[in-house]
Structure formats: structure tokens, C-alpha cells
């Protein structure tokens, strides 16, 4: 049986293998740079967000997205839905109904969580994982990754084109950007900082910080025995899950908050409907005796 894994901090895991129809116009500045063959023009965070949104919108049409009333969506909104405002970005959440164990967040603030992840992690562990993903957005790792991909792939091809009227990201260029993002890896430093962001999020909002260690222990156990897998290649430059679990434990110990974490019940089903039993009122007539 094939083991399932989560790739933390990897954007657009399937994006590079799909055909994109979206085109994005980055304005006169980009047009001028393309016409002159300049590869160093300013690519803003807003540009990165626009490109990310186009990619995620396309992905949403290609995956089964849980409806607003689906129990998985209800759970995700209950657990994390109230956290929508970040420092300079706005978050939006959706659930992909896929058995793979995965989650990602992109430069525009889109967070996508797979049902496979929600099936194996409780609410606190889920918070830790999503917190890590959001950490990459908050720390501008996601923005930097897509900027690098755009400059390396899309702009180089666009600079070689003969177009003098519009600067767009075409289907093939988006495909190259997706592939570049898949091939790129967050550094150990970036991963560690995203882990710290997640820990601080749990601590700040009164959650059990030990859930972060627990989440990494789950991933470490799932990784045992895997050999030369796609996931191994993706994670080759990152700290392994066991080490990240140890780091999370040390943070909790330093804060005097450490205790072995006990996973809570995982509920991805709709709450049972309440049944109301109506008792029929019975009136007992009291016999009265008239005095003669």
C-alpha cells in the first residue's frame, strides 16, 4: 500500500502539470521591461499575489472542492476560519476532497487543505500544520518563490518574443512557473522560521503548543521505510520531521509548557441531528365528592 505524505511549504504541488488558460497583465512597467529584454524590473508582492490567485483559481476548478455545508469545510471553518487577516494579506480557505496528506498556502493568502490531512490530524495538529503554511506567506517565502519563478521562466521567454502590445503570462509560461516552483525548495532557515511562526501562533492564541511536535511525529512515522520516493526528493534539503519534532519540543520545554501530547478525537462528520421527543401531556382529573 502506498504511503501518503505531506509536503510542508511546497506551493502548487500539482499546478505545474496542468494546462492554464489564465493570462495576467502586469502593466506598462512590465511591458517596457519585456520590450527591452530587461529581467530586473520590479515584481511587487501584489504581482506575486495576482499570479498566485490565477493559479489557485485554476486549481480550484480542477479539484473537487468541498461545499460550504460539507462536514470537512464546516470543521476547517470552525478550527481556523476566524483567522483571516494577516500582516498585509487576507486568508481564504478551501478543502480539496483528496485522500493525499497535503496542505499549502500561496502568496495571495489562499489556503488549501486536503481531506487526507484532516483524516489523520486533530484540531490542534491541524492548526500547527496550517500555521506553518501561513508562516511561509507571512515571512514572504511564498512571494519570493513565485517572483523568482516568474523572473526565471516567464520573463525570459517574454523578452525573446516579438510582442509589442501586451505583456502577459501565457499558458506555457504559467506551466514553466509551476514547474519552477515545484523544483525550488524552501531553505532550512525558511522552514525553521515557518515552524517558529506556527509555534508562536499556537502560543499566542492559547492552543496547546505541543501539538506541533505531535504533528511532526505523525509525519516522521509516515516517512519510515520510504526509499527514493518523490517526497524524499522534495524534502531532501529540509530538516527531517524527527528533527523538527525535537525542535518543537525544545521550544515548549524552554517556555515551561511541555507535556506529552495526547491526540484528541478526530471528527470529520456532520453533527448528529438532535432529536426532540415531545411528551404528550396527560391530565389526571381528580375525582371530587359532593357533600350532601
Amino acid at each position: 500500500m502506498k504511503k501518503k505524505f505531506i509536503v510542508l511549504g511546497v506551493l502548487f504541488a500539482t499546478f505545474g502539470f496542468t494546462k492554464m488558460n489564465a493570462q495576467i497583465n502586469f502593466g506598462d512597467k512590465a511591458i517596457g521591461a519585456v520590450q527591452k529584454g530587461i529581467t530586473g524590473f520590479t515584481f511587487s508582492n501584489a504581482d506575486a499575489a495576482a499570479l498566485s490567485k490565477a493559479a489557485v483559481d485554476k486549481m480550484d476548478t480542477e479539484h473537487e472542492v468541498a461545499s460550504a455545508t460539507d462536514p470537512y469545510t464546516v470543521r476547517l471553518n470552525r478550527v481556523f476560519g476566524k483567522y483571516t487577516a494577516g500582516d498585509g494579506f487576507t486568508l481564504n480557505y478551501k478543502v480539496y476532497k483528496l485522500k493525499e496528506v497535503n496542505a499549502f498556502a500561496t502568496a495571495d493568502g489562499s489556503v488549501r487543505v486536503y481531506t487526507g490531512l484532516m483524516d489523520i490530524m486533530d484540531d490542534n495538529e491541524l492548526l500547527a500544520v496550517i500555521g506553518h503554511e501561513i508562516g511561509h506567506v507571512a515571512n514572504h517565502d511564498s512571494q519570493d518563490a513565485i517572483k523568482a519563478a516568474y523572473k526565471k521562466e516567464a520573463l525570459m521567454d517574454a523578452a525573446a518574443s516579438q510582442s509589442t502590445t501586451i505583456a502577459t503570462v501565457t499558458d506555457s509560461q504559467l506551466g514553466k512557473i509551476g514547474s519552477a516552483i515545484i523544483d525550488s525548495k524552501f531553505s532550512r532557515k525558511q522552514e525553521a522560521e515557518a515552524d517558529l511562526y506556527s509555534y508562536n501562533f499556537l502560543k499566542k492564541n492559547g492552543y496547546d503548543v505541543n501539538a506541533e511536535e505531535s504533528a511532526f511525529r505523525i509525519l516522521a512515522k509516515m516517512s519510515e521505510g520510504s526509499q527514493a520516493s518523490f517526497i524524499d526528493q522534495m524534502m531532501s534539503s529540509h530538516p527531517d520531521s524527527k528533527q523538527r519534532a525535537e525542535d518543537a519540543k525544545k521550544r515548549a520545554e524552554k517556555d515551561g509548557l511541555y507535556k506529552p501530547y495526547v491526540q484528541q478525537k478526530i471528527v470529520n462528520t456532520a453533527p448528529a441531528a438532535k432529536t426532540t421527543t415531545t411528551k404528550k401531556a396527560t391530565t389526571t382529573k381528580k375525582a371530587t365528592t359532593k357533600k350532601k
Side-chain angles (χ1 to χ4, degrees):
M1 184 176 176
K2 224 174 171 185
K3 292 188 178 180
K4 297 173 182 176
F5 302 85
I6 181 171
V7 182
L8 298 181
V10 178
L11 305 182
F12 313 142
T14 57
F15 170 41
F17 302 98
T18 61
K19 292 182 179 179
M20 303 289 177
N21 295 319
Q23 292 192 340
I24 304 172
N25 189 335
F26 288 109
D28 293 339
K29 186 190 294 185
I31 293 172
V34 168
Q35 291 171 345
K36 296 175 184 177
I38 299 171
T39 60
F41 77 95
T42 301
F43 188 102
S44 69
N45 284 338
D47 294 333
L51 186 56
S52 295
K53 187 178 186 306
V56 174
D57 286 348
K58 182 66 174 176
M59 290 173 67
D60 287 350
T61 67
E62 296 175 343
H63 294 86
E64 183 182 358
V65 177
S67 69
T69 58
D70 187 284
Y72 283 98
T73 301
V74 172
R75 181 190 171 198
L76 182 62
N77 287 335
R78 173 177 57 79
V79 173
F80 222 117
K82 61 185 176 181
Y83 302 109
T84 57
D87 184 11
F89 58 90
T90 301
L91 301 170
N92 68 88
Y93 302 88
K94 288 184 182 179
V95 176
Y96 284 170
K97 300 196 78 169
L98 295 169
K99 289 300 180 184
E100 291 140 77
V101 180
N102 203 358
F104 62 85
T106 61
D108 68 306
S110 294
V111 179
R112 300 294 180 263
V113 184
Y114 291 40
T115 54
L117 176 66
M118 298 181 72
D119 286 337
I120 65 168
M121 292 196 177
D122 70 16
D123 291 356
N124 290 324
E125 293 161 341
L126 198 59
L127 282 162
V129 171
I130 299 175
H132 170 97
E133 296 301 327
I134 294 173
H136 282 303
V137 180
N139 295 336
H140 300 288
D141 302 336
S142 302
Q143 291 89 330
D144 292 344
I146 202 164
K147 286 178 188 179
Y150 178 79
K151 290 181 180 181
K152 180 180 179 182
E153 301 295 342
L155 184 59
M156 287 171 61
D157 282 1
S161 75
Q162 299 302 311
S163 172
T164 59
T165 57
I166 189 170
T168 61
V169 177
T170 65
D171 292 351
S172 62
Q173 290 165 347
L174 278 173
K176 288 183 180 181
I177 290 172
S179 297
I181 291 172
I182 291 171
D183 292 338
S184 66
K185 301 178 180 69
F186 291 123
S187 69
R188 291 176 181 270
K189 182 174 181 289
Q190 288 173 322
E191 291 290 358
E193 288 175 346
D195 290 346
L196 179 60
Y197 182 95
S198 177
Y199 177 87
N200 288 335
F201 170 83
L202 294 172
K203 182 180 175 182
K204 176 183 176 181
N205 291 287
Y207 298 107
D208 190 339
V209 296
N210 298 291
E212 183 179 41
E213 180 204 2
S214 180
F216 283 126
R217 296 288 184 203
I218 292 172
L219 300 178
K221 187 173 182 180
M222 293 178 71
S223 299
E224 288 175 2
S226 63
Q227 305 223 350
S229 69
F230 174 73
I231 301 299
D232 289 332
Q233 295 171 26
M234 294 295 293
M235 299 298 288
S236 61
S237 71
H238 305 328
D240 62 45
S241 296
K242 286 184 179 179
Q243 182 58 56
R244 293 164 83 174
E246 286 300 319
D247 292 341
K249 180 180 179 180
K250 289 176 182 176
R251 280 193 287 271
E253 287 176 334
K254 183 178 179 181
D255 287 340
L257 299 173
Y258 180 74
K259 61 180 179 179
Y261 186 78
V262 178
Q263 189 179 64
Q264 306 300 301
K265 186 177 181 180
I266 299 171
V267 180
N268 287 312
T269 55
K274 291 182 179 180
T275 56
T276 305
T277 305
T278 305
K279 291 184 179 180
K280 190 174 181 180
T282 57
T283 305
T284 304
K285 291 185 178 180
K286 191 174 181 180
T288 57
T289 305
K290 288 185 178 181
K291 290 184 181 179
K292 291 183 179 179

